[in-house]
Amino acid sequence: MRTPTPVPDASPVSTTYDPAAFEAPDYYALDDLLTEEEKAIRQRVREFVTREVLPVIEAHAQAMTFPRDLVPEIARQGLLGPSIPTAYGGGGHNGIVYGLMMQEVERGDSGLRSFCSVMSSLVMYPIWRYGSEEQKRKWLPALARAEAIGCFALTEPHHGSNPAGMETRAVRDGGEIVINGHKRWSTNASEGDVCVVWARDDEGDVRGYLVELDRPGVSTPRIMDKWSLRAAITSEVIFDEVRIPATNQLPEAKGLRAPLSCLTQARYGIAWGVIGAAMACYDAALQHARNREQFGRPIGGFQLIQERLVEMVSEITKAQLLAWRLGKLKDAGTMRPQQVSLAKRNNCQMALDVARSARQVLGGNGVLGMYPVMRHMMNLESVITYEGTHEIHTLIVGQDLTGLNAFAG
Ligand code: TGC
Ligand code: FAD
């Protein structure tokens, strides 16, 4: 048998991807719809991602490590709680700014955007919306500065799309609450300090609780065998007779409506975020189409490659319009959860389609880590599933259109 030839560090390809030459597609001059402040914030975050995220993110994804070193700068960039009022350490920004920030972070990696989404929409938002004044003052500034890391535990091993089936229980015992249960797929949990846990109380009502993750009885084993979001932490969260003071209950959260309202905030950010992943994939495909030659000419000169690029820009443009309009509805206070479902559903599918098509444009090189496309494609397989699967969002909008519930029965 022959001795295997060592694999070279870099394959001898005729083109490489230059992220510094990134050109954001804006085919319909949508920048005209943004304020100067919104564009300036977007530019600042874009530069941060190019300068600090892109050089390291592929190695983290390959090694399945979370880029913890980036967290202080993520906080300094205002990416944790951008829409939380400044009085609590947040950015006090409108929904458009939050969306643009998520778009730029996800151009780097969906896992990093997940980190920001969970912190902002699934931890800070419920504390701000449903917490006591004491809880807000204790946690929100610390979370905004990343001095505390938070996670959100709704999904259970046997209850994903149907969280109403949750089995986790929170039983009152004098001045304390005792939590027992098993949550699964919790982003950030293994490196987290506090968890927003959803459980049924003595009356059978869904309630939210803040559980410090160093309490006796809590364990957060990390889920390691992921092919997706490898640069993000995803964990089990197991509660075995965990005691918390009754004051750790979120006083204003009662019923499934409370965790679902947090999902509305996170889904909104995802509808914007995935546009960033799609832009990165499109940009890599465009650069390659211009530079890679076959049959004596750049492959971008072939009609079938042009069709792919045109399709990508058409879909990205439509997604940008959806996200921007959704942002305006959000800022006007009239956005409905069903409208968020439509945008999350459409834009995730769009980004996944763009990633798959970009991978084809890159040919064999498309499976290499020196291009961002395969990593985005694998990440988007999670993004289209979490925060409500594609099918669940289809049924949410379907129910809205027909008045008929197709979830069960
Ligand atoms: P249903 O009877 O429809 O609703 C119960 C109550 O909640 C209200 N509601 C909402 N409120 C605000 N926002 C929403 N999106 C809402 N959806 C429903 C509803 O009006 C009702 O209120 P009330 O006052 O009448 O009680 O509840 P259902 O049990 O029939 O469930 C409906 C369904 C299937 C749509 C829902 O359970 C669902 O969305 N399932 C998907 C589960 C999901 O998305 N899980 C995500 C887990 S977290 C996550 O994935 C984080 S990944 C983060 C990252 O890393 O980036
Ligand atoms: P299931 O609900 O078992 O669904 C399996 C399939 O059945 C899907 O295709 C689904 O669309 C389909 N299906 C289910 N019901 C119906 C129906 N009525 N009609 C038609 N089709 C249906 N959760 C958290 O609480 N916190 C987190 O931080 C978090 N982070 C995550 C990070 C990652 C990387 C991943 C992968 C998941 C994360 N989740 C988190 C969980 C995520 O929200 C769930 O995976 C998702 O809601 C789907 O649940 P499930 O995986 O149990 O799939």
Side-chain angles (χ1 to χ4, degrees), residues 110-111 113-115 117-118 122 152 154-155 160-164 185 187 229 255-264 266-267 270 337-338 341 385-389 392-393 396 399 405 407:
S110 303
R113 198 270 306 134
S114 274
F115 174 78
S117 290
V118 168
L122 298 183
F152 178 90
L154 177 65
T155 306
S161 296
N162 182 23
W185 297 115
T187 301
L229 294 182
L256 199 58
R257 167 180 282 273
L260 293 179
S261 72
C262 305
L263 301 186
T264 296
R267 290 166 178 173
I270 291 170
Q338 294 85 348
S341 284
T385 289
Y386 67 31
E387 289 288 354
T389 66
I392 289 299
H393 290 296
I396 290 171
Q399 180 178 11
N405 178 344
F407 289 106

Side-chain angles (χ1 to χ4, degrees), residues 103-119:
Q103 172 186 293
E104 295 308 316
V105 174
E106 196 151 353
R107 181 174 75 88
D109 191 77
S110 303
L112 269 194
R113 198 270 306 134
S114 274
F115 174 78
C116 299
S117 290
V118 168
M119 289 286 282

Side-chain angles (χ1 to χ4, degrees), residues 188-209:
N188 298 347
S190 302
E191 298 215 0
D193 301 291
V194 63
C195 184
V196 175
V197 184
W198 300 94
R200 287 199 187 275
D201 68 6
D202 301 283
E203 277 79 49
D205 290 323
V206 172
R207 296 283 197 167
Y209 304 90

Side-chain angles (χ1 to χ4, degrees), residues 147-193:
E147 290 160 5
I149 302 297
C151 66
F152 178 90
L154 177 65
T155 306
E156 298 183 358
H158 303 294
H159 308 284
S161 296
N162 182 23
M166 73 174 69
E167 296 169 49
T168 301
R169 288 290 177 276
V171 174
R172 188 76 183 232
D173 182 18
E176 291 186 323
I177 291 167
V178 184
I179 301 184
N180 278 289
H182 188 161
K183 297 287 182 178
R184 185 164 165 77
W185 297 115
S186 184
T187 301
N188 298 347
S190 302
E191 298 215 0
D193 301 291

